[in-house]
Amino acid sequence: MLGPDNLPLPPVEEFLEFMRNVRSASPHTIRSYAASLAGLFDFFEHACVEWDKLDLRYFSRYVALLRSGEEVGTARLPVSGDADLTRAESTVATRVAAVTSFYRYHEDAHGVAVASRLYRASGRHRHSRYVSALAHTARGEGRDLV
């Protein structure tokens, strides 16, 4: 993947190489992750944010752009009627998964602490409504199953 200077982006290339060689990811996954990260780095360029300084505030803006379906640096003209131009949540989830995987890799490999800031700040796993089928077998008293 190339940056704005038409040179490879070392953090992205390193991550994609890890996915290819260590994780044995499929070529389709590699292409999908590369496209997701290209969109993220476009966002960084327009938002003037360094990739290793991403915080929840900018990540929220990025996810909002993903949901709206707008390209970074463009504005959509008003549309008459009820046309829904947003992306499907499955598409947004796939792109966000690529980004979080990228940051988890760099946290483990190089100590770039972006992933932990995003997870800690979002509280994503704190109050899950999901209850597994075997929740009743969990050890410990006082566990709420709802």
Side-chain angles (χ1 to χ4, degrees):
M1 194 171 101
L2 302 178
D5 54 3
N6 290 324
L7 294 175
L9 294 168
V12 175
E13 290 300 320
E14 179 182 331
F15 170 69
L16 294 177
E17 198 63 29
F18 167 78
M19 293 298 291
R20 270 186 217 101
N21 297 324
V22 177
R23 299 285 304 268
S24 300
S26 77
H28 297 290
T29 300
I30 300 298
R31 259 192 310 276
S32 173
Y33 277 32
S36 297
L37 293 172
L40 178 69
F41 276 77
D42 284 346
F43 171 78
F44 289 153
E45 184 181 346
H46 284 86
C48 298
V49 178
E50 296 292 323
W51 75 271
D52 56 350
K53 305 291 188 240
L54 182 66
D55 61 14
L56 187 59
R57 176 176 48 125
Y58 283 107
F59 186 66
S60 297
R61 290 181 189 170
Y62 172 69
V63 173
L65 273 173
L66 286 177
R67 284 195 172 113
S68 72
E70 294 179 15
E71 295 296 321
V72 176
T74 63
R76 191 173 280 167
L77 295 173
V79 177
S80 62
D82 291 331
D84 183 17
L85 302 174
T86 59
R87 285 193 175 120
E89 277 302 311
S90 59
T91 301
V92 173
T94 300
R95 303 256 170 112
V96 168
V99 170
T100 55
S101 182
F102 169 77
Y103 279 114
R104 278 193 305 254
Y105 166 78
H106 280 288
E107 184 171 38
D108 291 345
H110 304 291
V112 176
V114 172
S116 63
R117 283 194 307 256
L118 296 179
Y119 284 118
R120 185 176 54 237
S122 68
R124 183 173 174 226
H125 299 289
R126 223 181 271 160
H127 301 291
S128 175
R129 292 180 55 131
Y130 171 76
V131 178
S132 75
L134 299 176
H136 64 282
T137 64
R139 292 185 181 175
E141 294 181 20
R143 288 184 180 233
D144 292 334
L145 297 181
V146 179

